[in-house]
Amino acid sequence: MNNRLETFVKENRKSFDVLEPSAGLWAKIEQELDSKKKKKPVNLYLWISAAASIVIVLGLTWLYVGSMRNRDIEIADVNAAIAKKEIHFAGLITEKRDSLAIFASANPDLYKKFTSDLKKLDEDYERLKAELPTTPNQLYVVKAMVKNRELQLQLLKQQLMIINQVDDYKRVNQI
């Protein structure tokens, strides 16, 4: 069978040679081969998963480091007994502030003065609270925070006493 094919090709060689492909066809084939060489299949899924993994690892690292750096230390973490005192004082302070706010409408100027004094003490308390995680002597700062709450409570008691005296004076002088 192989011989029959060879003999057929030899006998009809001239008719095969007449039909040659055009020169432009070879240029197109070369161009397609070059473009196929340049295009490498990109595994998009692989790149997206690698980028997502990096983002997740960086995010978790940032959260862990941030939580360790900005760890809020509560008073109870330093001393439980002092924390109970602070909670007690905070409750009383809230109660006294509410009482003071009731008298605000009757004496707005006096109320503004009182609240400005309390605001200064609150700012000091917040500064101490911010200092607590970084200070080497946390017990000292916690004691200062409780002392600040005590001062706030004493100030509120004095302010309420002054307001009561002013109200008594107004009642006596009206008659």
Side-chain angles (χ1 to χ4, degrees):
M1 203 175 211
N2 218 0
N3 288 336
R4 285 176 70 195
L5 181 62
E6 285 181 23
T7 55
F8 178 76
V9 170
K10 285 181 184 177
E11 290 174 3
N12 297 312
R13 181 148 180 95
K14 289 183 182 180
S15 58
F16 285 125
D17 288 341
V18 174
L19 299 173
E20 287 187 17
S22 67
L25 179 63
W26 288 113
K28 284 182 183 179
I29 292 172
E30 285 179 1
Q31 197 176 31
E32 285 183 28
L33 288 175
D34 288 341
S35 67
K36 286 182 181 177
K37 286 181 185 177
K38 290 178 186 175
K39 291 182 184 177
K40 289 186 179 180
V42 177
N43 193 350
L44 189 61
Y45 178 75
L46 176 69
W47 284 104
I48 289 174
S49 60
S53 299
I54 290 171
V55 167
I56 288 172
V57 168
L58 289 176
L60 290 174
T61 303
W62 179 73
L63 284 174
Y64 177 74
V65 170
S67 69
M68 292 305 287
R69 189 178 327 149
N70 296 329
R71 185 175 159 230
D72 288 338
I73 295 177
E74 298 293 326
I75 295 175
D77 296 336
V78 178
N79 189 321
I82 294 176
K84 287 180 182 178
K85 274 185 178 179
E86 197 273 339
I87 291 171
H88 176 70
F89 287 144
L92 290 173
I93 288 169
T94 303
E95 183 182 309
K96 300 291 183 189
R97 281 185 184 214
D98 291 343
S99 298
L100 190 62
I102 292 171
F103 295 110
S105 60
N107 298 309
D109 294 334
L110 193 58
Y111 179 75
K112 284 180 186 178
K113 174 65 177 146
F114 288 165
T115 55
S116 69
D117 293 339
L118 283 171
K119 188 176 180 181
K120 289 176 188 173
L121 285 172
D122 272 339
E123 289 170 358
D124 289 342
Y125 181 83
E126 292 302 321
R127 184 183 48 79
L128 289 169
K129 190 174 180 180
E131 250 179 55
L132 185 61
T134 58
T135 188
N137 192 354
Q138 292 176 338
L139 185 60
Y140 178 74
V141 174
V142 165
K143 286 181 180 179
M145 290 169 70
V146 171
K147 187 66 177 172
N148 181 289
R149 290 290 195 198
E150 257 183 279
L151 289 172
Q152 286 183 31
L153 185 59
Q154 287 175 359
L155 181 64
L156 282 165
K157 285 180 180 178
Q158 288 176 351
Q159 290 172 348
L160 286 171
M161 187 177 71
I162 291 169
I163 287 177
N164 285 332
Q165 288 175 350
V166 167
D167 285 345
D168 288 344
Y169 179 78
K170 285 181 180 178
R171 271 189 245 131
V172 168
N173 285 338
Q174 283 182 353
I175 298 177

